[in-house]
Amino acid sequence: MKISSKDNPLIKYLTKIYSSKKERDESSKFIVEGYNLVNEAYKTGSIDKIFSIKEEPLYKDAIIVTYDIIKKITDTVTPEGIIALVNKKNTSKCGNKILYLDSLQDPGNIGTLLRSAVAFNFDTIVLDECTDLYNPKTIRASQGAIFYLNFIDKKILDLKQENYYIINTNMNGVSLDNFKLKSSNYVLILGNEGHGVRREYQECSDVNLTIPMENIESLNVSIAGSILMYELNKQEK
Amino acid sequence: MKISSKDNPLIKYLTKIYSSKKERDESSKFIVEGYNLVNEAYKTGSIDKIFSIKEEPLYKDAIIVTYDIIKKITDTVTPEGIIALVNKKNTSKCGNKILYLDSLQDPGNIGTLLRSAVAFNFDTIVLDECTDLYNPKTIRASQGAIFYLNFIDKKILDLKQENYYIINTNMNGVSLDNFKLKSSNYVLILGNEGHGVRREYQECSDVNLTIPMENIESLNVSIAGSILMYELNKQEK
């Protein structure tokens, strides 16, 4: 199948999915761009349809489109010439190492943290009042990590009642250099780029952890979160 | 002093400094935006001139400009209403903990790494074929860290001859979990976002370090570099 008109209804639909959270929510679909991400989606069986500027031996059902159509759908300056419409994963599986993101707003930070979560054996993610997971920028920064994680819709108090050990991060807590992990079921909370973790979540935590640092008050949240995940994962080895 | 015309020669000059590396190189000046960064520049005595949309008790010599002028000079969507023209630091001081960036291209990555360098006691930076340090995006991501670091113009072989211990990062090296630092004068090399550290630098290293990770091949370079700096700094305590 080939599509060459930008006014084709399917192309208009893809453009909406790409740019609108509402459309993504209603359809339960999202879009990934480029060979790497299409391949990750393909391996995990999440693909609805692939759109490519040329025939791809691996993706025989790909719909052939023009480069201008790919450019119309995405906001990437020089796209690779392949995108896919992907089904959102429908899972409520809850693992034993949870990254809980409280009100993160920067898609790049969220995507980068997902990539680090996969690297350091965190299996489950909660996005509590964050920017949409399926935002194209988040997808791009996650580099496919999104396909390896469970996303659940639980609140911190639910997890506490289920006996997860709750680890908060702030500036005046226990130094990460001295911290010894005592549980293998835990939640790491990271807070908003400007305001940190909200007070009520801080208050229900079992420990407040601080990364010791010199001269400056705070690190970028994706940096801080990744250092914490690396260290917590190391302690479990 | 007040300026209300966008066509004022000084405003045109600032616009050039903001957007052109060549102008920054020739003038040895750059621009910072927002209260935090202006304050950091002020504390370190680096300011040439401040431009603000209102009178500031702290900065009595500030030139008053319109909000439209600030918007014309910068590319920030909603600027804070204060910028400063700042003198580049003229230093060749070389400390004992050096971060060596080989061909990094993303200004956000460079700025974030500078912020982490300050946090973890790295005192000296080499930018070897990287994006311009004084690019507004780098300055923004560094959050003022730029004022606390020495930037030197040495090559890795010079540093090796000066007996620095050279730490390279790649995917098949010694696990960071098991590494013990044996020197207090060292260089950490991080490589380009796509290609890693160039081969000739890898070959002259004293050790290749790898951050152990699951399921994925690599981390964002600013994440990997920050984890390494945190760990190396911890070992020296």
Side-chain angles (χ1 to χ4, degrees):
Chain A
M1 186 180 167
K2 283 191 190 184
I3 299 178
S4 54
S5 164
K6 289 186 195 173
D7 297 327
N8 183 295
L10 182 55
I11 303 307
K12 285 188 171 170
Y13 170 72
L14 294 174
T15 309
K16 278 189 191 160
I17 295 280
Y18 188 88
S19 58
S20 154
K21 177 178 184 310
K22 188 162 164 277
E23 291 287 335
R24 293 191 294 267
D25 286 347
E26 285 173 8
S27 63
S28 218
K29 295 184 195 297
F30 63 105
I31 285 172
V32 301
E33 305 166 61
Y35 286 95
N36 281 345
L37 280 168
V38 170
N39 187 39
E40 292 289 348
Y42 183 77
K43 284 195 290 182
T44 52
S46 319
I47 299 252
D48 180 328
K49 278 190 188 66
I50 295 176
F51 302 83
S52 172
I53 54 168
K54 57 186 174 63
E55 292 193 13
E56 297 288 343
L58 187 58
Y59 312 124
K60 293 205 192 314
D61 297 337
I63 296 171
I64 307 299
V65 295
T66 64
Y67 195 61
D68 278 353
I69 286 180
I70 299 271
K71 276 183 127 166
K72 184 188 151 103
I73 295 166
T74 71
D75 63 4
T76 312
V77 183
T78 50
E80 283 184 29
I82 190 164
I83 66 172
L85 183 65
V86 177
N87 298 310
K88 289 187 186 178
K89 201 157 67 169
N90 201 344
T91 171
S92 56
K93 201 182 147 205
C94 187
N96 62 345
K97 293 173 69 167
I98 302 175
L99 180 66
Y100 194 104
L101 303 181
D102 172 19
S103 312
L104 263 69
Q105 293 312 303
D106 183 274
N109 282 340
I110 297 174
T112 304
L113 282 165
L114 299 182
R115 193 173 165 195
S116 296
V118 171
F120 301 130
N121 276 319
F122 277 66
D123 46 29
T124 306
I125 310 288
V126 181
L127 297 167
D128 186 354
E129 295 182 22
C130 291
T131 302
D132 184 31
L133 169 63
Y134 301 101
N135 179 309
K137 285 182 193 157
T138 310
I139 302 285
R140 225 175 288 148
S142 84
Q143 299 251 332
I146 190 172
F147 298 112
Y148 294 88
L149 294 161
N150 302 308
F151 294 89
I152 61 165
D153 192 19
K154 286 191 177 174
K155 285 285 187 182
I156 200 77
L157 279 171
D158 302 326
L159 294 165
K160 195 169 170 71
Q161 284 182 341
E162 293 174 26
N163 283 321
Y164 283 89
Y165 183 78
I166 313 290
I167 302 169
N168 178 47
T169 48
N170 68 15
M171 288 194 289
N172 317 300
V174 176
S175 165
L176 177 61
D177 289 354
N178 307 322
F179 178 68
K180 294 279 170 274
L181 187 64
K182 288 178 196 120
S183 172
S184 56
N185 295 297
Y186 54 88
V187 179
L188 174 65
I189 316 178
L190 301 174
N192 172 270
E193 289 86 350
H195 308 109
V197 176
R198 72 185 82 173
R199 183 184 285 259
E200 57 184 292
Y201 293 177
Q202 303 216 20
E203 284 168 355
C204 78
S205 302
D206 295 296
V207 66
N208 289 314
L209 267 189
T210 300
I211 299 174
M213 63 189 92
E214 307 289 328
N215 307 310
I216 58 173
E217 280 193 355
S218 69
L219 294 165
N220 172 293
V221 64
S222 70
I223 299 288
S226 300
I227 290 173
L228 287 156
M229 288 190 277
Y230 166 73
E231 280 293 323
L232 294 170
N233 182 50
K234 188 168 82 170
Q235 293 208 7
E236 288 205 278
K237 287 181 186 171
Chain B
M1 186 180 167
K2 282 188 190 184
I3 299 179
S4 54
S5 163
K6 289 185 196 174
D7 297 325
N8 183 296
L10 182 54
I11 302 308
K12 287 188 172 173
Y13 170 72
L14 293 174
T15 309
K16 279 189 191 162
I17 296 279
Y18 187 86
S19 58
S20 156
K21 175 177 184 310
K22 187 162 164 276
E23 290 287 335
R24 294 192 293 267
D25 286 347
E26 284 173 9
S27 64
S28 220
K29 295 184 195 298
F30 63 104
I31 285 172
V32 302
E33 305 167 59
Y35 286 94
N36 281 346
L37 279 168
V38 170
N39 188 37
E40 292 289 347
Y42 183 78
K43 283 195 290 182
T44 51
S46 320
I47 300 252
D48 179 328
K49 279 191 187 66
I50 294 176
F51 302 83
S52 173
I53 55 168
K54 56 188 175 60
E55 291 192 13
E56 298 287 343
L58 186 59
Y59 312 123
K60 292 204 191 316
D61 296 337
I63 295 172
I64 307 299
V65 294
T66 65
Y67 194 61
D68 279 352
I69 285 179
I70 299 273
K71 278 184 126 166
K72 183 187 151 100
I73 295 167
T74 71
D75 64 5
T76 312
V77 183
T78 50
E80 282 184 29
I82 190 165
I83 65 172
L85 183 66
V86 177
N87 298 310
K88 290 187 187 178
K89 201 156 69 167
N90 202 344
T91 170
S92 55
K93 199 182 149 207
C94 187
N96 62 343
K97 292 173 68 168
I98 302 175
L99 180 66
Y100 194 105
L101 303 181
D102 172 19
S103 312
L104 263 69
Q105 293 311 304
D106 183 274
N109 283 340
I110 297 173
T112 304
L113 281 165
L114 299 181
R115 194 171 163 197
S116 296
V118 170
F120 301 130
N121 275 321
F122 277 66
D123 46 30
T124 305
I125 309 289
V126 181
L127 298 166
D128 185 354
E129 296 182 21
C130 292
T131 301
D132 185 30
L133 169 64
Y134 300 100
N135 178 309
K137 286 182 192 157
T138 310
I139 302 284
R140 226 176 286 148
S142 86
Q143 299 252 331
I146 191 171
F147 299 111
Y148 294 88
L149 294 162
N150 302 309
F151 294 89
I152 60 164
D153 192 18
K154 284 191 180 176
K155 286 284 185 181
I156 200 76
L157 278 171
D158 302 327
L159 294 164
K160 195 168 169 71
Q161 284 184 339
E162 292 174 25
N163 284 321
Y164 283 90
Y165 182 78
I166 313 291
I167 302 168
N168 177 47
T169 48
N170 67 16
M171 290 195 286
N172 316 300
V174 175
S175 164
L176 179 61
D177 289 355
N178 307 321
F179 178 69
K180 294 279 170 275
L181 187 63
K182 288 177 195 122
S183 172
S184 57
N185 296 296
Y186 54 88
V187 179
L188 174 65
I189 315 179
L190 301 174
N192 171 270
E193 290 86 351
H195 308 109
V197 176
R198 71 185 84 172
R199 183 184 285 260
E200 56 184 291
Y201 293 178
Q202 301 216 21
E203 284 168 356
C204 78
S205 301
D206 294 298
V207 67
N208 289 315
L209 266 188
T210 301
I211 299 174
M213 62 188 92
E214 308 288 329
N215 307 310
I216 58 172
E217 281 192 356
S218 68
L219 295 165
N220 173 294
V221 63
S222 70
I223 300 289
S226 299
I227 290 174
L228 287 157
M229 287 191 279
Y230 166 73
E231 280 294 322
L232 294 170
N233 182 50
K234 189 168 83 170
Q235 293 209 7
E236 287 205 280
K237 285 180 185 170

